[in-house]
Amino acid sequence: MNLEPELYSSQHIPLESVKRFISQTLPQFGWNHCSKEDIVLDVGCGPGGTTFQLVLPLFSGVKKIFAVDLVPVAIEFAKKHNSHQLIEYSVANFEDWSTLNQWEGQITKLVSIYCINWLKDQRNAFQNVFKLLKKGGEAAACFLLESFFYDSILKVQNDPKWSCYFKGIENLVPESHHKKYDSSFYKRMLEAIGFEILYCRDIVITEVVSSDKKYRDFCTSVCVLTPHVPSDLKEDLMNDYMQELLRLNGRNDKGLPLFTSNVIELVIRKL
């Protein structure tokens, strides 16, 4: 995955929907009542904005918060800009168990925000969640199912103007987008793995971004296409990509850009 942490963090992260999920929904399941022996794992922490601003306040009394991400530059950014004595940032690949097995059966609470949608094998990801949790441990996740973000990626990737640069690349558009999975698909998967479903819903979320620059910075930071074109064409590529993204998402009545996605929210427990 391509991630430019400086651009990613220029948009005031976390998003309002993420704030609501962590600060309002999770306390309804007792996630704000922690002990000094609890160990928390934040999977896909990126540059650490959500970890520091929302996960830390929810778990301020725990023993440790481990926060992992696949992208080394994101972890370096997190250590520099979102550090705290309770948080330990490190690089790990959630699709590679060998980078996670040090925490097997030790995690009390696991949080994953907008990470699982980037993973190719989501069932394997949830099986790893199961192995990481203590018996009775819980995981909370929210991630994209469908999004105009993906439609824009596909449109540009298949445009004759650009397609020659993207032959055989992995565009990271998840199966859930192509096959229009809903919460029932994930309920069946999670119950088969051995989880108890405490909360599961899919909702359409529209976020308002406060400026075109922040919109462009954020979308550029996570665009998987830009690394595959020559440097002198990246600006042109992003212009086409942003034009398509704005065409699909539109603007609100104040002219601010919108970002609309179908998102799933989950709280699950290891039986």
Side-chain angles (χ1 to χ4, degrees), residues 40-202:
V40 177
L41 179 62
D42 182 0
V43 175
C45 65
T50 299
T51 312
F52 185 79
Q53 295 180 43
L54 294 179
V55 176
L56 177 62
L58 191 64
F59 297 114
S60 58
V62 300
K63 183 176 182 179
K64 198 70 177 176
I65 299 172
F66 294 102
V68 301
D69 199 272
L70 174 64
V71 183
V73 293
I75 292 298
E76 289 306 311
F77 186 97
K79 289 178 178 179
K80 183 177 180 180
H81 297 281
N82 291 302
S83 63
H84 189 275
Q85 61 184 6
L86 277 181
I87 306 173
E88 183 176 318
Y89 293 104
S90 60
V91 176
N93 181 355
F94 207 65
E95 295 183 289
D96 180 357
W97 177 248
S98 68
T99 69
L100 305 168
N101 58 14
Q102 62 183 304
W103 298 301
E104 182 172 7
Q106 298 181 38
I107 303 302
T108 312
K109 294 285 193 294
L110 184 148
V111 182
S112 182
I113 304 298
Y114 290 125
C115 170
I116 291 173
N117 49 286
W118 294 109
L119 305 181
K120 198 163 188 178
D121 188 343
Q122 294 181 352
R123 178 180 290 274
N124 176 64
F126 282 113
Q127 288 171 334
N128 286 344
V129 171
F130 191 85
K131 289 189 287 185
L132 288 164
L133 289 174
K134 289 182 174 182
K135 185 176 181 180
E138 295 177 357
C142 67
F143 55 95
L144 304 182
L145 297 178
E146 297 178 67
S147 176
F148 289 141
F149 170 78
Y150 296 131
D151 288 323
S152 300
I153 291 285
L154 293 168
K155 176 68 183 299
V156 173
Q157 183 181 8
N158 294 313
D159 187 327
K161 177 180 176 181
W162 299 108
S163 59
C164 63
Y165 297 104
F166 307 128
K167 296 186 185 301
I169 75 156
E170 175 54 67
N171 60 24
L172 300 181
V173 176
E175 193 174 78
S176 63
H177 181 82
H178 293 296
K179 297 189 176 181
K180 302 188 183 306
Y181 292 156
D182 61 13
S183 57
S184 63
F185 172 86
Y186 288 93
K187 285 179 180 178
R188 291 192 297 271
M189 175 199 293
L190 294 165
E191 288 173 343
I193 291 171
F195 286 108
E196 176 186 2
I197 312 295
L198 303 180
Y199 170 80
C200 180
R201 70 166 185 165
D202 52 279

Side-chain angles (χ1 to χ4, degrees), residues 190-226:
L190 294 165
E191 288 173 343
I193 291 171
F195 286 108
E196 176 186 2
I197 312 295
L198 303 180
Y199 170 80
C200 180
R201 70 166 185 165
D202 52 279
I203 53 173
V204 175
I205 290 174
T206 298
E207 299 280 359
V208 180
V209 185
S210 59
S211 74
D212 279 31
K213 183 182 184 304
K214 289 183 177 181
Y215 192 72
R216 185 183 180 98
D217 285 351
F218 177 72
C219 293
T220 300
S221 75
V222 294
C223 180
V224 298
L225 302 179
T226 50

Side-chain angles (χ1 to χ4, degrees), residues 161-162 165 226 229-239:
K161 177 180 176 181
W162 299 108
Y165 297 104
T226 50
V229 300
S231 57
D232 61 329
L233 296 178
K234 291 184 188 295
E235 188 73 14
D236 190 20
L237 172 75
M238 287 311 302
N239 288 339

Side-chain angles (χ1 to χ4, degrees), residues 16-29 58:
E16 290 301 320
S17 58
V18 174
K19 294 178 186 178
R20 189 200 68 249
F21 179 62
I22 295 178
S23 301
Q24 298 180 27
T25 301
L26 294 187
Q28 295 176 24
F29 296 91
L58 191 64

